[in-house]
Amino acid sequence: MSDSSTFDNNQTDDNSRIRELIDILNEASKAYYAEDHEIMSNFEYDKLYDELLALEEKTGTVYANSPSQKVGYEVVSELPKERHPSRMLSLDKTKEVDALVSWLGDKKGLLSWKMDGLTVVLTYENGELSKAVTRGNGEIGEVITANARTFVNIPGKISYKGRLVIRGEAIITYSEFERINATIADIDAKYKNPRNLCSGSVRQLNSRITAERNVRFYAFSMVDPEDAELMESFENSFTKRFETLTSLGFETVEYKPVTSATLPDMVKWFSDKIPSNDFPTDGLVLSFDDTAYGKSLGTTAKFPKDAIAFKWRDEEAETVLREIEWSPSRTGLINPVAIFDTVDLEGTEVSRASLHNISYVRDMQLGIGDKIRVYKANMIIPQLSVNLTKSGNFVIPDKCPACGGATEIRNDNGSETLNCNNPACPAKNIKLFSLFVSRNAMNIDGMSEATIERFIGAGIMHSLSDIYKLSEHKDVIVNMDGFGQRSYDKLIAAVDESRNADMAGFLYGLGIPGFGVANAKLVVKAYKSDFEAIMNANEEDLMEIEKVGEVLARDFVAYFKNETNVSEVRKLLEEVHFIIEENNREQDLEGFTFVITGSLETYPNRDALKKEIEDRGGKVAGSVSAKTSFLINNDIASNSSKNKKAKSLGVPIITEEDFNNNKFE
């Protein structure tokens, strides 16, 4: 491929296949190394990997997250500043579709998403990413080259060898935003929106942190290249520039050609897609397709004249405020939430909106029965726009809805907030509730952390045993926003199903400091599934159990000496029934530790083989170490990492057939 002009659909198809292979191979690697199971054979992996290498060689496109690349992370003390060669102006804006139509006139245009992230400028030289700079204030940005190299979808290498400068938006998807927030226990430390998270991620001093955030980049323009031949190939068409970017391996913002006649329908087409989008947007951008014409218009002091931004006019609805719900959080902060008569906004039913803090409630002069107007900010987040009545008759609760403890008004950076001071408030122990209902504990499906927080905030769940009394609050739950009869029925069914409990899972779910699932299984086994004996265990006996040291034993005994804990456990024991599986199997594998890898033939899955080993007194570990007795792998000759590790440590590798025939002693 020449430096400039030969960009075709074949390369675009090849780049799509490259991205597909990267996703497949990275998923396989994650399953193998992080989750300890295989979703494809080594042969299949190697075949796809070779195809990827061949396509990367053919196209010259190599993405940062390709398994062929080893990203070297970089830590810096500060981000250096750099002045942009030319000032990056912001766009003029309108909320009127008619204004867009008038602006476009008789010209052809391109309508595209205005993504809500952080604008980044990439520079490629000799086919490699040489520099990345944030927009900053439009004149001076921060150099983030090491961080940009970790963006999951940008090419680290491209086929074009000349100098190329590309502008685009770095974003974090909603699903990634939710994944990251789910790992943060403190509700007030959670990120407010994907844009804030993206900005912080892109501007990290440690590029490893950026890599963990799965930042994506979507190109939206290309600075005029110095290469006359490449410039000529664009034919003064913005569309041609987008096509060239795509052929080089970049993902671009989604765009559609428009005329004045088709523009209104296309605006609606974009707006209809917003609810299903996994990426944040704050409007659309309309550009002239004829780049020479757009450039000839020049700029104003603030805006370029070749493009204009469109913001959706927020749809408002009038309704009546029926209640202010005070919702406690794990930090002790009690957040006010407006409950109003349901209205339809942007195609969805809305009946709740955050009121932020006491100062906001006071400023809005809110009161029960007030007529209010509500809208969805950026078509997503319900907000109050105005209070038409302003009765101001709201009442600040003097008791916490979750625990009944006294509340306190505090001044937080100029804003008044309501707080609960009770350290034992259940709202502050959401992590314990989440642990109890988790898969390895009581396995109550549908009881998410957000649901737990809402139940506690509504005052219907104070302790773990209250989980088994949720049916007494059916009316409250069914009428919660996002619930309903069907969700309620599924939740109660899951709660009832958990009443038939595994003793080790129950013990683990109590949240005894330091005790994981493995420890709980060992304790249950040592005490022969006698829960009364477990509750009365002493430190000396516990320390006789493998992997239970002095600290764990002390904390375990202290937990069951606490009268409050014992009282709660007794209440739970009235609600659950332990399923005790009799194990009369010969303990012929006692003292052996196995690691399982690869696909199985006679067992339906690894859990079945694991159970077989444990029933016979053996142990199963997730990784090969010097303590491993045998590695079970049907592909003994493979060059997998576990096989290599086993061979280096002298650990015998046996097949499933060897195990079944006891050929391992």
Side-chain angles (χ1 to χ4, degrees):
M1 180 176 289
S2 70
D3 283 357
S4 56
S5 59
T6 311
F7 303 105
D8 55 31
N9 290 331
N10 288 335
Q11 175 150 343
T12 299
D13 292 341
D14 287 341
N15 288 331
S16 295
R17 177 58 177 165
I18 288 173
R19 286 195 289 266
E20 181 183 14
L21 288 169
I22 289 172
D23 288 343
I24 294 171
L25 293 170
N26 284 345
E27 185 65 26
S29 294
K30 177 185 175 183
Y32 185 86
Y33 291 107
E35 299 169 356
D36 197 29
H37 69 94
E38 291 181 358
I39 59 177
M40 67 172 62
S41 67
N42 289 328
F43 175 79
E44 290 173 309
Y45 184 95
D46 292 342
K47 182 180 178 182
L48 295 178
Y49 184 77
D50 290 342
E51 182 186 352
L52 173 65
L53 293 180
L55 284 172
E56 288 179 340
E57 177 69 24
K58 174 185 174 184
T59 62
T61 303
V62 183
Y63 291 97
N65 65 332
S66 171
S68 69
Q69 300 299 295
K70 301 296 182 185
V71 178
Y73 299 114
E74 181 179 318
V75 180
V76 295
S77 58
E78 63 178 14
L79 295 173
K81 306 286 194 300
E82 182 171 301
R83 184 174 295 275
H84 295 293
S86 59
R87 188 180 175 200
M88 296 180 65
L89 299 173
S90 57
L91 297 178
D92 197 4
K93 301 174 181 65
T94 182
K95 289 188 175 183
E96 302 293 340
V97 175
D98 288 346
L100 289 183
V101 172
S102 176
W103 182 90
L104 186 59
D106 61 356
K107 301 294 182 181
K108 293 180 180 179
L110 288 184
L111 193 63
S112 61
W113 291 115
K114 186 175 185 293
M115 289 189 157
D116 194 14
L118 190 71
T119 300
V120 175
V121 183
L122 306 178
T123 300
Y124 286 80
E125 295 184 88
N126 196 30
E128 296 194 6
L129 177 64
S130 61
K131 186 168 58 180
V133 184
T134 66
R135 179 184 183 277
N137 63 6
E139 295 183 359
I140 297 174
E142 294 173 307
V143 179
I144 55 156
T145 310
N147 293 344
R149 289 193 175 110
T150 72
F151 293 177
V152 297
N153 66 330
I154 71 163
K157 297 179 181 179
I158 59 175
S159 58
Y160 179 69
K161 302 307 177 186
R163 189 171 189 272
L164 206 59
V165 179
I166 298 160
R167 294 176 178 175
E169 198 80 356
I171 63 109
I172 285 179
T173 61
Y174 285 120
S175 53
E176 187 65 17
F177 168 74
E178 290 166 1
R179 180 192 69 81
I180 293 170
N181 260 353
T183 66
I184 302 172
D186 185 350
I187 193 169
D188 290 331
K190 291 179 183 288
Y191 295 97
K192 304 303 180 188
N193 54 59
R195 177 177 48 79
N196 289 351
L197 173 58
C198 181
S199 178
S201 301
V202 169
R203 300 173 61 251
Q204 285 289 327
L205 298 179
N206 184 344
S207 62
R208 181 182 292 275
I209 298 175
T210 307
E212 292 170 352
R213 304 283 175 80
N214 291 327
V215 179
R216 305 187 73 85
F217 176 86
Y218 291 90
F220 57 66
S221 71
M222 180 194 301
V223 176
D224 288 349
E226 299 168 353
D227 185 333
E229 186 181 356
L230 177 59
M231 188 69 179
E232 186 178 344
S233 73
F234 296 153
E235 301 172 3
N236 288 328
S237 170
F238 204 169
T239 302
K240 291 282 188 183
R241 295 192 181 212
F242 270 125
E243 290 172 352
T244 297
L245 287 169
T246 302
S247 70
L248 288 172
F250 293 93
E251 290 189 66
T252 68
V253 295
E254 186 175 21
Y255 63 93
K256 295 290 182 181
V258 290
T259 64
S260 294
T262 63
L263 187 52
D265 286 341
M266 195 54 68
V267 170
K268 184 179 186 306
W269 182 87
F270 274 97
S271 67
D272 288 344
K273 292 192 68 175
I274 289 176
S276 60
N277 282 346
D278 192 31
F279 53 85
T281 62
D282 58 357
L284 301 172
V285 175
L286 177 61
S287 308
F288 290 114
D289 187 46
D290 187 334
T291 53
Y293 172 77
K295 191 174 182 181
S296 72
L297 298 175
T299 67
T300 68
K302 291 185 176 181
F303 312 115
K305 292 184 177 181
D306 61 347
I308 186 171
F310 172 76
K311 299 273 191 170
W312 278 277
R313 180 175 294 281
D314 298 317
E315 182 183 341
E316 286 192 337
E318 187 174 313
T319 184
V320 177
L321 181 65
R322 296 300 180 187
E323 181 186 352
I324 295 179
E325 178 184 282
W326 297 87
S327 178
S329 72
R330 70 192 75 194
T331 63
L333 187 66
I334 304 176
N335 302 296
V337 179
I339 312 296
F340 43 81
D341 290 343
T342 302
V343 292
D344 185 271
L345 289 175
E346 315 292 355
T348 59
E349 291 187 343
V350 179
S351 59
R352 303 166 61 89
S354 171
L355 296 176
H356 309 296
N357 51 50
I358 292 176
S359 294
Y360 180 88
V361 177
R362 289 192 200 278
D363 291 343
M364 292 287 285
Q365 299 178 52
L366 291 170
I368 306 306
D370 280 351
K371 290 182 179 179
I372 57 175
R373 293 189 69 83
V374 295
Y375 70 101
K376 275 190 176 180
N378 288 328
M379 301 179 73
I380 297 172
I381 304 170
Q383 300 281 342
L384 270 63
S385 60
V386 65
N387 181 5
L388 301 172
T389 313
K390 297 185 178 180
S391 69
N393 66 20
F394 73 95
V395 177
I396 300 174
D398 58 3
K399 292 183 178 179
C400 171
C403 68
T407 59
E408 175 187 42
I409 298 176
R410 298 177 189 168
N411 190 299
D412 184 10
N413 294 322
S415 295
E416 287 185 317
T417 61
L418 189 65
N419 296 266
C420 171
N421 294 325
N422 177 12
C425 179
K428 298 179 182 180
N429 294 302
I430 288 174
K431 208 168 185 179
L432 172 61
F433 285 85
S434 297
L435 173 68
F436 186 79
V437 303
S438 66
R439 185 177 63 177
N440 289 327
M442 300 304 285
N443 192 23
I444 302 178
D445 189 36
M447 186 78 78
S448 68
E449 195 166 292
T451 298
I452 291 168
E453 193 158 1
R454 289 175 65 187
F455 285 176
I456 291 174
I460 62 176
M461 213 161 70
H462 303 277
S463 59
L464 294 179
S465 58
D466 288 333
I467 292 172
Y468 294 96
K469 295 179 172 61
L470 287 174
S471 59
E472 298 174 7
H473 307 282
K474 177 180 178 179
D475 290 343
V476 175
I477 297 172
V478 168
N479 288 294
M480 279 185 170
D481 189 39
F483 261 83
Q485 186 66 46
R486 187 175 178 184
S487 297
Y488 168 82
D489 289 342
K490 288 177 67 176
L491 177 63
I492 296 302
V495 169
D496 287 341
E497 188 176 344
S498 76
R499 294 178 187 274
N500 295 316
D502 171 69
M503 187 179 291
F506 176 86
L507 186 61
Y508 165 65
L510 295 178
I512 300 171
F515 261 76
V517 179
N519 299 119
K521 287 182 178 179
L522 291 171
V523 169
V524 169
K525 183 178 178 181
Y527 284 87
K528 302 185 185 304
S529 299
D530 184 342
F531 205 81
E532 282 295 327
I534 290 172
M535 292 177 66
N536 291 293
N538 59 53
E539 291 183 32
E540 292 76 17
D541 290 342
L542 285 166
M543 288 171 61
E544 293 294 319
I545 302 171
E546 185 182 4
K547 295 184 179 180
V548 178
E550 182 179 351
V551 175
L552 286 180
R554 184 173 65 243
D555 288 344
F556 190 93
V557 171
Y559 179 89
F560 285 108
K561 281 186 176 179
N562 182 295
E563 291 184 8
T564 302
N565 291 341
V566 172
S567 174
E568 181 61 18
V569 171
R570 293 286 182 202
K571 290 178 183 177
L572 285 167
L573 291 176
E574 292 176 4
E575 303 289 346
V576 303
H577 167 70
F578 293 128
I579 304 299
I580 310 297
E581 292 187 12
E582 294 293 333
N583 181 19
N584 299 317
R585 303 287 298 278
E586 181 185 355
Q587 302 297 288
D588 59 329
L589 298 184
E590 193 165 356
F592 291 117
T593 299
F594 296 83
V595 172
I596 308 166
T597 191
S599 57
L600 299 174
E601 296 169 359
T602 59
Y603 291 89
N605 51 50
R606 290 190 192 180
D607 286 340
L609 177 52
K610 180 180 179 182
K611 185 176 185 303
E612 169 73 15
I613 292 170
E614 291 178 343
D615 284 349
R616 292 165 60 185
K619 297 175 185 176
V620 178
S623 59
V624 177
S625 70
K627 295 181 179 180
T628 304
S629 307
F630 299 96
L631 171 64
I632 301 176
N633 187 353
N634 285 326
D635 189 358
I636 289 180
S638 81
N639 287 318
S640 69
S641 60
K642 284 189 173 131
N643 273 23
K644 289 178 180 178
K645 186 73 176 288
K647 289 174 183 177
S648 70
L649 295 173
V651 173
I653 305 172
I654 62 173
T655 65
E656 193 178 345
E657 183 180 0
D658 293 334
F659 174 82
N660 289 333
N661 293 326
N662 290 329
K663 293 181 179 178
F664 52 86
E665 296 179 357

